[in-house]
Amino acid sequence: MATRWLGRGRVSGGAARDAAREGSVSAMVNKTDRKDARGIAQLLRMGWFRPVHAKSPGAHEVRALLVARKLLLQTKLLDVEFSIRGILRGFGLKMGEVSEGLFVARARELALGHPMLEPITEPMLRAREALRTEYARLHGEVLAIAKPDPVCRRLMTAPGVGAVVAITFKSAVDDPGRFIRSRALGAYFGLTPKKYQPGSAM
């Protein structure tokens, strides 16, 4: 919240100041708030002010939701699963390929009867289940935002584009009016063709 509040404080006339440009010009050995403010004022007097896009509060909130969802799925949940597999493997017990629904049953089957593995794996399996529950809740929040949104619904008509991809793209673009032409949007996401890529102009 503090970072977003500070970001809003930098907004002037619908655009934010280019912080990277300011930092490169107003760098100083003994940096203080007073000297920093004086340096920024000097940049404005010199006409070096360059407006950049400031994402809307709605886009910030959606991005925060997506980050939290990804954290639970790819970082915490998978870490717990890999740890369980690694602990069992250390005792010569391999889970092999198993679906999400059968993961718990397979882990308990392998740990059954082992005086040390059972008390180790059970808390980790409970933690995994709690993470899955919270992940499902966050994923439901994403769907609740994406499904009724007309832009997301239009994007989801494209093959392979689901709710998560659609809302991620929409929140990243935020304001389509800031892109003069479509190829500028591609460059914004790093989708620039190589010089001699097939199908491009030579």
Side-chain angles (χ1 to χ4, degrees):
M1 292 300 291
T3 303
R4 188 171 66 184
W5 177 80
L6 290 173
R8 290 183 186 176
R10 298 177 65 86
V11 175
S12 175
R17 300 194 303 271
D18 190 341
R21 186 179 178 88
E22 291 176 4
S24 63
V25 176
S26 63
M28 57 196 73
V29 178
N30 298 321
K31 186 174 177 66
T32 64
D33 290 343
R34 184 184 297 275
K35 289 183 179 180
D36 195 30
R38 187 179 298 114
I40 294 173
Q42 181 66 17
L43 288 176
L44 294 176
R45 284 193 295 269
M46 295 169 62
W48 283 31
F49 170 80
R50 184 175 65 182
V52 296
H53 175 70
K55 285 191 178 295
S56 64
H60 273 294
E61 292 168 357
V62 169
R63 299 293 290 178
L65 175 61
L66 292 171
V67 168
R69 175 188 174 277
K70 182 178 180 180
L71 175 70
L72 286 181
L73 173 64
Q74 295 187 349
T75 305
K76 304 303 179 184
L77 182 57
L78 293 182
D79 279 351
V80 171
E81 291 185 354
F82 290 150
S83 296
I84 294 173
R85 287 177 175 271
I87 290 171
L88 293 173
R89 190 184 300 114
F91 290 85
L93 305 171
K94 295 184 179 180
M95 292 193 66
E97 293 186 9
V98 61
S99 64
E100 289 187 7
L102 298 177
F103 184 91
V104 174
R106 177 60 175 163
R108 285 176 175 160
E109 176 188 356
L110 293 175
L112 184 64
H114 197 289
M116 184 57 68
L117 285 181
E118 281 193 271
I120 291 176
T121 55
E122 279 302 320
M124 297 185 71
L125 290 173
R126 289 196 296 269
R128 174 185 179 272
E129 187 59 31
L131 287 172
R132 283 176 56 83
T133 300
E134 294 305 319
Y135 164 74
R137 185 180 66 81
L138 288 180
H139 186 68
E141 294 285 343
V142 172
L143 297 180
I145 296 174
K147 285 186 176 181
D149 187 278
V151 176
C152 290
R153 291 178 66 87
R154 195 175 305 118
L155 289 171
M156 285 188 285
T157 59
V161 177
V164 175
V165 173
I167 196 172
T168 300
F169 180 77
K170 184 191 173 186
S171 64
V173 174
D174 193 21
D175 179 16
R178 61 193 177 103
F179 298 101
I180 300 176
R181 45 183 70 89
S182 60
R183 65 171 176 265
L185 178 61
Y188 178 77
F189 288 103
L191 304 175
T192 53
K194 296 181 179 179
K195 185 175 181 181
Y196 299 111
Q197 182 175 330
S200 61
M202 301 295 287

